[in-house]
Amino acid sequence: MSKQPARRNLTLTIDGRQVTVPEGTLVVEAARQAGFNIPVYCYHPKMDPAGLCRICLVEIEKIPKLQIACNTQVADGMVVHTMSPRVAEGRRGVLEFLLLNHPLDCPICDKGGECDLQDFTMSYGPGASRLTEPKLHKPKAVDLGPTIVLDEERCILCRRCTRFDDEIAQERNLVVNERGHHSLIATADGSDYRSYFSGNTTEICPVGALTSKAYRFRSRPWDLSHADSVCTQCSVGCNYRIDSRFGRIMRTFTRENTAVDDGWICDRGRYTFNYLYEPSRLRQPLIKRDGEHQPATFDEAIAIAAERLRTAARKGSVGIIGGGRLSDEEAFALQQFAREVLGTDNIDHRVGLQKYASPSRHEARLEDIDDASLIVIFGAITPEQAPILDLRLRRAVARRHAKLLFVGPYKPDLPVPCRHVEYTPGAIAELMEQLADVVHHGREERGEGFVAEIAQELADAERIIAVHNGRDPGAIEALEKLMDRLHDYDHPVGILVVGATGNARGAEAAGCVPNLGPGYAELGRSGMTAAEMFAAAADGKLDALYIAGANPALTFPDGELVRRALQRVPFLAVADQVLTETAAYADVVLAAASFAEKSGHVTNLEGRQQAFAQAIEPPVHVGSDLRILAAFAQTLGKEWAIPDDADALFAQLRHVQRAARPRSPKDPLPRPRVDETSLSSADQVDATHQRFTIIPVPRLYAGGGASAHDPGIAAMRPAPFATFHPDDAARIGVVHGDMVRLQGRGGSIDVEVHVGPQAPTGVALVLADMPQAPVNRLLDASGFGSATAIKVRSVAAAPPETIEVTA
Amino acid sequence: MTPERERRASELVARYPESQSALIPFLQFCQAHDGYVTQQAIHDAAEIAGITPGEAESIASFYTLLFKEPVGKHKIQVCRTLSCMLRGADELQQHVRQRLGLGNGESSPDGRFYYEEVECLAACDRAPCLQHNLEFHYDVTPEDFDRLLDEWRASDPGVSMPAE
Amino acid sequence: MARFEPVLLRGIGQLDLTDIENYKQLGGFAALEKALREMTPEAVQGEVSASNLRGRGGAGFPTGKKWSFLPKDGRPRYLVCNCDEAEPGTFKDHLLLEQAPFQIIEGLLISAYAINAAQIFMYIRGEFLEGFRIFKRALDAARLQGYLGKRILGTDFSMDIVVHRGAGAYICGEETAMLESIEGKRGEPRLKPPFPANAGLYGMPTVVNNVETVSCVPHIIERGAQWFASIGPEKCPGPKIISVSGHVVRPGNYEVPMGIPARELIEEYAGGLFPGRRLKAIQPGGGSSAAIFEEDLDTGIDFDSLAAKRTMLGSGGFVVMDDTTCMVRASQTLTRFFEHESCGQCTPCREGGQWVARMVSRLEAGEGNESDLRVLSTINDTITGTNLCPLGDSIMPFLSSVLRRFPEEFADHVREAGCPFRVGVAASMAS
Ligand SMILES: Cc1cc2nc3c(=O)[nH]c(=O)nc-3n(C[C@H](O)[C@H](O)[C@H](O)COP(=O)(O)O)c2cc1C
Ligand code: SF4
Ligand code: FES
């Protein structure tokens, strides 16, 4: 870790109180430490001081003019007054100016009750306005984009929002237009404010200028109850607060945990909760009778499912899938259910391409990104799969001069400079080995060329962080060996693995894999992996499947296989919050609680176990996965295996997990077993380009889980698309916006054509995880697929009319 | 981008240590041909500067000599600040408005004239003064203006806000 | 009284000094030769420091001292010349640009040599299109004759000047806003610290100097610091161009020794007031300065004497107003100016400035009220001194000074629901 030179401590006096702080501290922060809150509008601790609003004026002895506390650094012996008459006068002046043309529509403003303009005016403002002419007017209720509404009259031009978009998101789409008092917050003419982080601006806007569409006019802040929760939409695990009123969620709010989220959350995390109130939410269990799902009671559903699972278990012919969308306690309960109640090791949480959810060694923390000098992203599409982690990357690159190397099949859209190394399965492992070799042999023998260049960058880096997606076991091993080498040569290195699901790491650590028990305990035996269970079921060799909080019909790479398996297996039970594609096949569907409706722990991608509290009650016939599993255990006479008590389970889990941290290179964590089909090989790439290689690409708002049913998120979901290289598009005669049918091994999907240079030639980048166009129809179990492009005539026609086959 | 604009852009980018410095000169160059800063120019400029179109627009909107929408070809800008006011700017403004039939910031419907009252033009010793397409005219009396207007009416300034 | 022998304006009006041969005939480029061939950069800097030259852009900061702040850390340094002149009542740089471009070029080259600059940027106000063309031609001529470019005059010194045109914003005259503007951004002043000497243009150490300031440099080198320092007051010596406008018989740029009394400037140089008129107020240092009055006519025109009168020399824009002038109307043009030119970053300047301008406009239109008068007389304390840059601090000085001096005139506008001077203004226009 790069060392900052030790900073001197300085002592100053603020309002008569002595306070000692490190050199370089701003007066506003020093005052906070001394227990005085200096009012601020433009200042935000996560952003550079801007000195715009001037509300933070303080008096400093020996300096004639009032100074701004937000850009004045402390000095030894400095004497600061934050409440003197001059300061009061200065603040009153600034507030009077800010209120001059303010519409004072507080009764209908969402910020009412938590607005800094209201609060500071109350504490420091003038009693009455001296404005005697009509107020100046500006646009109100400006639709800024899919998530945000802007009231320019309420805006005090503190620029926190534009600075957030610039300094934090690095996207720079939200700007100030015009100048002087005509200044307006705006986007480029005719364009929307589209950002995965837009919701944060509504939080940091000190007034009611930026409000979120999801929360507008819905509640008053003093009517809300709060629950400290953790977002589980991805594996970063941002801390947030769920605000509810009369048992209904109204909004979510950041709950800063600097080490994890730095005080931000992404829009998917922030806005995914209204699906709970949609008709598609499962409010009670379903039982399939004569091919139709019929409502049932909780007890009925449990009784039927328990019986069928027991029968299959007796024959040793049962499989359990899931865990990555459950809490740690529930994942633990799920493997207890498999191993202790049903007596099988056929359990796996891996229903996508991810094989490993943790590094076996060199574990890094999210905060390590901040000090990294070189960041190697290995296949993970961080802006889409871990947006808040991506913010850290952006900051490290844009503001701390870290270098970014992206190793992947295509280059994702990143707002910061990034060097792309093309990833060809197989070849990449070789490259890593070469690099390890070169690093080992030292500077002199590095030679020239591409490998040498990268090796040089590695050798020059003070601290290296690798972020991978846990997918390609061969390549990951090679990467880890390279890290071993660098580590040997005293380079601090660290690895982060972006989870495929919100609690992938928790599920892995709780033992939801066929060969490892809780705490990565090696069992010395193994059940079937998910892929093997699907293969067996499709072959008629598995009698029952229980799937908890997973949607393999959409996420499992070989869609054709999984659909066959789900159809063929004699008994299928699924627990979920909505009727997913997978649940649609089930004989028994259990209605499961959401994270807001239960409490427990989740483990984020860096292995941090975080507690979340229950915010609201679930509907009557809805049970948490824990309650469902405990009910099964009880029905099957093994209640000792799964107590219906999260605290008790957590205590057990903690006990077995003690030793579960990744260890040294000599003693790495054991790996979950990987089946044959998952190993990718280089020769699968079709060099003739007669067909298109399919690479599924993730998007934040895609996915087949609960978020797909959220009206807010649904509005932002992209339409299914395939991106072709311009040369390919020209060759097959399609243009941006055309519809094409992609025909693959397990069926076809219709997608819109995008054209862009990010697609390598011969490749179609196809949006993943979209129920209306499941890319897994085109893929095999290794995630590899190819397709012919079939051009269609009309964009609007559905189903598309086939006229011409080109490839 | 036209080849001419591309050439200009690369010339400008080469002139400065950082390419964003080329932004304003490039917009001025485009405006000299298009009459105002078009959305196309904003997008081209953003690309040259390596910034977002939103940023380019924000920057352009800061400067009063960059026009965000089409304005009359003859741009008449009369000074209104103190020194000119002391020596007859009010009368001149009144006269010009009336002759052109335009208020401050307005363009004639035929797109030929644009009138604006502007801040001190640094020609206070020869007040009142005005600029016509950035060309100075000093000590302008109403009669002088009438003469000038006749000349302008008879001419067509291909380039209304010259860049160089 | 003998007229001061002009230094900066020498030859202007007699010779076409946009012709390089004429400039050379007057001794042009001799100082550059001397500096490059006979002096080290340190020696040039020493000479400028010894001359006590203070910046002519408005703040009057000692030029030698400003140069000495540059850190010696090997980073490239930039010299930026401020030709954005837009301060109301100021028009000297405009003249120097159009009529003495080689003097600017020579001054810039010597200054760049002194501070070891990597590059010179000349920022020319967007409205000065003609001046821009003249300057570009001058650069070409200088380059042809070896005064610019690689190995100037056969020495090891190479230098080039990049000309950057403004696009309409007074605030870009403020030095950090100018740097932003050259960088292709909104011309918004930067929060300080850091100062340009440490982190200026493109983050590099940078000096910004005014056109008139750099125009002084060749003369200091040629004739010596002693000569320069002996003109006018010890602490702010030298020749100074004062732009005289308003109600005088001969408005114009006059080069005078620093410190001459205001009375002499008006009477000896500018031809005095119009017959039968009385002096009412003078704005001695551009639109940002507080007014002085009849009783101040013996005040010396220099940085320190005017500061003692709670106003400033500023940019040297000297605006004379006689008794036909309505002080509310005068204030209106200036408050409207600052409202129009505020960048809008900070609250007091953006909101306060807009409010003041509206109040003054209403008073002038006869729609003002008592409350406006009360607000105007107290608002100075909350607008002035609380801003991010000096523009906000420039809104109130003139208004406050004339309101203090002529309170009844403001009150009359309320009482009579209109401007009592409307006739007077017309009369002044007729003259
Ligand atoms: C609002 C504002 C406008 C200014 N305009 C100008 C200007 O037009 N020309 C100028 O030389 N200095 C101007 N200045 C002063 C500059 O910031 C800077 O002090 C000056 O260019 C330094 O040069 P000097 O040291 O040679 O005087 C302005 C300052 C402010 C605050
Ligand atoms: S919208 Fe809010 S955050 Fe943005 S500038 Fe206005 S007040 Fe500040
Ligand atoms: S908080 Fe200090 S100026 Fe805004």
Side-chain angles (χ1 to χ4, degrees), chain B residues 19-115:
Chain B
S19 56
Q20 192 172 336
S21 289
L23 183 91
I24 295 163
F26 179 78
L27 290 177
Q28 286 167 329
F29 181 76
C30 296
Q31 175 169 271
H33 291 78
D34 302 335
Y36 71 107
V37 176
T38 63
Q39 277 297 311
Q40 187 58 49
I42 289 281
H43 278 84
D44 293 345
E47 198 180 314
I48 292 161
I51 59 176
T52 64
E55 283 178 293
E57 200 169 280
S58 158
I59 295 160
S61 72
F62 188 86
Y63 296 96
T64 53
L65 289 180
L66 296 175
F67 296 89
K68 263 58 76 188
E69 46 200 51
V71 284
K73 275 189 169 181
H74 292 277
K75 294 192 177 79
I76 299 164
Q77 301 178 302
V78 181
C79 176
R80 68 175 187 188
T81 319
L82 181 59
S83 298
C84 276
M85 184 278 281
L86 294 173
R87 296 182 78 99
D90 287 352
E91 248 194 358
L92 178 63
Q93 281 164 17
Q94 238 168 5
H95 182 76
V96 176
R97 285 186 203 205
Q98 191 219 324
R99 287 302 315 271
L100 295 174
L102 296 174
N104 187 12
E106 290 177 1
S107 292
S108 59
D110 63 1
R112 299 207 65 211
F113 288 93
Y114 168 74
Y115 171 68

Side-chain angles (χ1 to χ4, degrees), chain C residues 386-404:
Chain C
T386 56
N387 296 288
L388 193 154
C389 93
L391 188 147
D393 297 349
S394 306
I395 301 169
M396 291 306 295
F398 177 79
L399 172 60
S400 294
S401 64
V402 297
L403 180 59
R404 218 177 302 121

Side-chain angles (χ1 to χ4, degrees), chain A residues 593-668:
Chain A
S594 70
F595 270 81
E597 294 159 339
K598 62 194 181 191
S599 62
H601 292 78
V602 275
T603 302
N604 78 349
L605 62 91
E606 53 177 346
R608 183 188 301 268
Q609 204 163 36
Q610 308 189 94
F612 62 93
Q614 182 172 348
I616 51 170
E617 287 299 323
V620 207
H621 296 289
V622 172
S624 67
D625 283 274
L626 178 55
R627 192 176 144 223
I628 294 168
L629 293 167
F632 277 136
Q634 191 166 28
T635 309
L636 298 176
K638 301 215 174 156
E639 56 267 39
W640 53 267
I642 309 175
D644 185 5
D645 175 354
D647 291 343
L649 270 178
F650 185 64
Q652 284 185 32
L653 177 64
R654 273 308 268 261
H655 183 71
V656 287
Q657 278 187 337
R658 279 275 139 72
R661 313 270 341 155
R663 298 175 292 231
S664 69
K666 290 198 183 59
D667 180 22

Side-chain angles (χ1 to χ4, degrees), chain A residues 40-43 51-56 68 70:
Chain A
V40 294
Y41 288 122
C42 65
Y43 177 72
L52 307 179
C53 73
R54 319 305 282 186
I55 190 73
C56 66
I68 50 171
C70 72

Side-chain angles (χ1 to χ4, degrees), chain A residues 52-54 133-134 178 181, chain C residues 186 339 346-347 358 362 386:
Chain A
L52 307 179
C53 73
R54 319 305 282 186
E133 59 219 291
E178 308 300 326
H181 66 90
Chain C
R186 291 165 65 86
E339 175 199 18
C346 63
T347 311
R358 281 167 80 190
R362 258 184 317 114
T386 56

Side-chain angles (χ1 to χ4, degrees), chain A residues 29 122 155 262 267 282 309 366 406 535 673 702 741 805 807:
Chain A
E29 295 293 347
M122 180 98 152
C155 170
D262 205 31
D267 286 359
L282 285 173
L309 292 170
L366 282 164
F406 179 80
R673 188 170 68 80
R741 171 162 296 173
V805 182

